[in-house]
Amino acid sequence: MLLRPIITEKTSVMLQDNKYTFQVPLTANKVEIRQAVEQIFKVKVLNVNTVRVFGKTKRMGKYVGKRSDYKKAIVKLAEGNTIPLFEGM
């Protein structure tokens, strides 16, 4: 259900608010994301926000292509819960 963590400057700042960001399949809903995070990392999820990110159009000379669309999930954890995958960032 979770494809990969998204680690950027913005998501690193969000870690202070106990919010973690993951790339998820386009078909995933908030309930499925909550269950996946709680099951994989053994934490309590308070809130899940999702964002549909549309892929950018890119060109290389005369050739035009498009990056894939993806869905981003921002998961807020209960106080005292952390995900060690993001620690040390």
Side-chain angles (χ1 to χ4, degrees), residues 4-74:
R4 67 181 184 93
I6 298 175
I7 301 170
T8 62
E9 287 183 32
K10 186 175 181 179
T11 60
S12 299
V13 172
M14 290 170 52
L15 291 177
Q16 296 170 353
D17 296 332
N18 222 15
K19 293 181 180 179
Y20 296 84
T21 308
F22 297 95
Q23 182 177 342
V24 296
L26 287 172
T27 57
N29 62 37
K30 292 182 181 185
V31 175
E32 294 170 342
I33 295 166
R34 174 191 300 265
Q35 291 171 349
V37 171
E38 287 179 345
Q39 181 181 10
I40 293 170
F41 299 109
K42 308 290 190 261
V43 293
K44 175 71 174 136
V45 175
L46 293 180
N47 192 359
V48 177
N49 293 317
T50 57
V51 180
R52 174 100 184 250
V53 181
F54 294 98
K56 295 180 178 179
T57 302
K58 293 290 183 178
R59 46 182 312 129
M60 183 75 87
K62 66 178 183 177
Y63 301 104
V64 178
K66 182 179 175 296
R67 289 185 181 168
S68 299
D69 299 342
Y70 65 95
K71 186 181 273 191
K72 185 165 58 170
I74 301 168

